[in-house]
């Protein structure tokens, strides 16, 4: 009995001691505010010569073609990429939890290898490399830059930033954050609505001399360092080394940082994920169609988000497109159909200098090479809708990339430089193409029947493009019939990104449906069916009753 | 007391229903078990329709062979239509009768509506991923199949570089079909790590696909939706064979062995 109590007491004491330990550890981590992010390793692995050697082999196999055999960022793929693969000998790391200008923590490098850098060529390696293998790479790539060798344990503790407990996101914190966004002049680079279109946008180069654009804060899927409030907090606290994005470590209190981070999160557009719907529904409207992008009637049409990629099917293959999605709405009435296209574009480019198309022969490499110098070519912004000329019978369509010989497509191309052109009545040109080999052929002036109006503001184009439902020229023009699924595709050009001709963004085929209300006749037929069935039943019942019990 | 037999009408109904349940639900799993397949093997709707039509015709012939049987069969139907005397009570039977009598015209109306209303279902991308390759590619073999290990490693390295420059934007650095340019493509670039792509074809098949691209596909594989470029004008045959070797190596897959003609 006595033994029992003393045992119980020891247990109790041990438990109390443990609880105290846990409490202390918890307090310590809160006080130090040590940052833990998703993608951080579960435990740290120290460097040994074997680990470095294993890392070298992995690096040669998995990373060298981008980052270069000696880590100088000059692998075979490097010249085609924007941003370029990092020069790992420079010691410049963008995504850190350390103070501005510092080297990264091992956990930071581990995290980049784990999750990659979204919106760039740097992939995530979670599925193909184990945690141990990722540690081997961390220790190997650190050998490229000798600055790491001089870091002591104390340095690591000192350079690490601290993050206070997260503030809840409320209307009030967001409003405070908006004020900070204005006062801290984030808008000078990132723009009033966050689309990367501020007055200073377009004037920057990074530390390697390449042009760089302020980030478009509305595109949630592109956030390179992560899009949680904590990630964003860390980003403007540490700054992004090697780029004009500054550190605000000395200008903001912890509370203010959370407020600003929560405001930035509200900028992320809450539109449907691109590609989630494949049918663009054109709504039927009584009366005239809107010709102005700001017409409130557009609100009644269901928007469809179209995903775009660079044209990489034939030369000039272009893998650094600026426009990655277009939001489209459509309305139609008895005579006409109109489309509203909206897309993010940091600069308004209304001037065109170079020849219209960039042909395959102008580029030798399989992909457009950016090389070490990137001349800023002044090109116009443009967008095009593509339809098959003939409604496909069955599933057979022209190829989504400019059709095919014998399978012509009809393109309506709106271009920003045309609106002031006195020679033209319209800023939209109708063209036809039967493949990508020859440039599309513009239709003669008298067959140009499309109309367009566009405005640019705060980093966004809005263009309305319209035409009659049917035309006389059925050999070259698509004829719209309500109730059918009509293939539709999109091309887009961002002039400031040097895009023209086949150096463009493009989508696959989507379906356009001019929505029809069910015709009255259908209801009539159904009613007749019901009445007939009732009559038949009545007749049967009466007959059987007359016949009497069997 | 004689055991009450189920009436002829209800036995016909039960027989038809059980055959339907068997075809639509039991058979697919039985077939899956027999064939050792991973998924149930559903009976095509058209086939079910034919079997059911046969069953119903058979049942009708069975009941109409003599007058008594026909009368027995029709009896519940006739009684339902005729209704019962008030004296027999205002029971659930009467409610059921009313329900059947209203349901029939509504069913007819619904069928008519379905047939007449415009179809607004989303069109789907139905295609065959691995159509037969053209004859002239069938007998090609990899010229580098029998090189020694060191040379093989070197070719795979050369192929990897070519793959990473040319194919990575769509098929991805890790050959997982998730390159940066896959985002805007509705027909996604093939995921070579997946068991159903290059792992199920012979090397010459991959060689054909790389050379002729999406536009070289037959109609059944919807060439108009495929972004896969034709590389025949830009990469030499040797380069393509090296890419094929690298592609399998990066994805960690083995090509199918060609059947030997003995």
């Amino acid at each position: 009995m006595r033994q029992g109590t003393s045992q119980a007491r020891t247990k109790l004491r041990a438990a109390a001691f443990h609880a105290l330990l846990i409490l202390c550890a918890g307090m310590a981590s809160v006080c130090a505010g040590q940052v833990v992010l998703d993608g951080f390793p579960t435990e740290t692995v120290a460097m040994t010569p074997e680990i470095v050697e294993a890392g070298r082999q992995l690096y040669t196999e998995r990373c060298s073609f981008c980052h270069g055999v000696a880590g100088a960022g000059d692998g075979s793929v490097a010249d085609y990429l924007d941003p370029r693969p990092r020069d790992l000998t420079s010691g410049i790391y963008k995504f850190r939890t350390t103070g501005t200008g510092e080297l990264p923590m091992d956990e930071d490098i581990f995290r980049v290898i784990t999750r990659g850098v979204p919106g760039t060529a740097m992939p995530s390696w979670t599925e193909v490399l184990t945690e141990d293998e990722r540690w081997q790479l961390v220790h190997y790539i650190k050998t490229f830059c000798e600055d790491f060798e001089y870091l002591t344990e104390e340095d690591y503790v000192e350079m690490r930033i601290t993050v206070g407990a997260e503030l809840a996101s409320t209307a009030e914190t967001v409003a405070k954050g908006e004020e900070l966004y204005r006062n801290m002049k984030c808008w000078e680079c990132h723009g009033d609505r966050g689309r990367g279109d501020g007055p200073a946008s377009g004037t920057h180069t990074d530390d390697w001399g390449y042009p760089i654009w302020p980030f478009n804060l509305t595109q949630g899927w592109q956030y390179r360092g992560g899009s949680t409030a904590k990630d964003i907090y860390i980003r403007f606290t540490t700054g992004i080394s090697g780029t004009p994005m500054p550190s605000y470590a000395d200008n903001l209190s912890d509370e203010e940082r959370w407020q600003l981070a929560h405001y930035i999160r509200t900028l992320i557009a809450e539109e449907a994920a691109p590609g989630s719907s494949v049918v663009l529904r054109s709504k039927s409207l009584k009366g005239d169609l809107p010709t102005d992008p700001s017409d409130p009637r557009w609100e009644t049409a269901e928007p469809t988000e179209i995903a775009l990629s660079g044209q990489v099917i034939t030369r000039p293959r272009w893998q650094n497109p600026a426009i990655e999605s277009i939001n489209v709405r459509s309305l139609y009435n008895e005579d006409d159909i109109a489309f509203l296209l909206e897309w993010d574009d940091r600069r308004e480019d209304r001037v065109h200098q170079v020849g219209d198309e960039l042909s395959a022969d102008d580029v030798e490499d399989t992909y457009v090479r950016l090389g070490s110098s990137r001349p800023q070519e002044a090109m116009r912004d443009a967008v095009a809708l593509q339809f098959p000329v003939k409604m496909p019978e069955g599933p057979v369509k022209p190829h989504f990339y400019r059709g095919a010989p014998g399978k012509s497509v009809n393109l309506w191309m709106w271009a920003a430089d045309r609106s002031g052109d006195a020679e033209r009545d319209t800023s939209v040109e109708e063209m036809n193409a039967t493949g990508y080999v020859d440039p599309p052929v513009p239709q003669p002036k008298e067959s140009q029947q499309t109309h367009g109006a566009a405005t640019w503001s705060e980093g966004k184009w809005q263009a309305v493009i319209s035409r009659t439902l049917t035309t006389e020229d059925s050999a070259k023009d698509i004829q719209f019939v309500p109730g059918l699924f009509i293939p539709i595709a999109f091309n887009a050009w961002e002039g400031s990104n040097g895009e023209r001709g086949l150096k463009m963004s493009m989508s696959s085929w989507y379906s356009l449906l001019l929505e029809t209300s069910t015709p009255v006749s259908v209801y009539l037929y159904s009613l007749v069916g019901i009445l007939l069935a009732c009559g038949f039943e009545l007749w049967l019942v009466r007959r059987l009753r007359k016949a009497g019990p069997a | 007391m004689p055991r009450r037999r189920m009436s002829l009408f209800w036995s016909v109904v039960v027989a038809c229903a059980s055959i339907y349940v068997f075809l639509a639900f039991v058979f697919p799993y039985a077939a899956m078990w027999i064939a050792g397949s991973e998924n149930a093997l559903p009976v095509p709707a058209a086939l079910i329709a034919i079997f059911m039509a046969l069953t119903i015709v058979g049942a009708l012939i069975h009941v109409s062979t003599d007058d008594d049987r026909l009368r027995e069969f029709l009896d519940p139907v006739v009684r339902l239509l005729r209704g019962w005397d008030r004296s027999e009570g205002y029971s659930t039977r009467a409610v059921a009768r009313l329900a059947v009598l209203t349901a029939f015209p509504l069913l007819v109306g619904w069928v008519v509506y379905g047939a007449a209303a415009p179809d607004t279902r989303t069109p789907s991308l139905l295609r065959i991923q691995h159509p037969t390759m053209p004859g002239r590619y069938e007998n090609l073999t990899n010229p580098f199949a029998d090189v020694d290990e060191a040379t093989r490693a070197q070719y795979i390295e050369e192929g990897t570089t070519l793959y990473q420059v040319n194919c990575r934007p769509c098929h991805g650095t890790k050959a997982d079909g998730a390159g940066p340019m896959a985002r805007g493509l509705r027909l996604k670039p093939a995921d070579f790590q997946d068991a159903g792509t290059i792992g199920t074809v012979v090397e010459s098949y991959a060689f054909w696909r790389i050379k002729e691209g999406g536009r070289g596909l037959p109609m059944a594989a919807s060439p108009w939706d495929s972004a896969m470029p034709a590389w025949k004008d830009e990469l030499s045959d040797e380069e393509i064979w090296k890419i094929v070797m690298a592609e399998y190596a990066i994805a960690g897959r083995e090509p199918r062995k060609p059947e030997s003609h003995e």
Side-chain angles (χ1 to χ4, degrees), chain A residues 124 309 324 366-367 545, chain B residues 82 101 166 174 183-184 186:
Chain A
S124 133
S309 287
E324 297 201 46
T366 47
Y367 287 80
R545 284 227 167 119
Chain B
R82 198 193 289 138
L101 290 187
N166 295 302
K174 297 162 287 173
R183 190 173 168 277
R186 278 193 54 211

Side-chain angles (χ1 to χ4, degrees), chain A residues 33 65 183 186 264 275 282 316 405 423 426 496:
Chain A
F65 45 83
N183 296 343
C186 307
I264 305 277
S282 183
E423 296 276 289
T426 158
S496 295

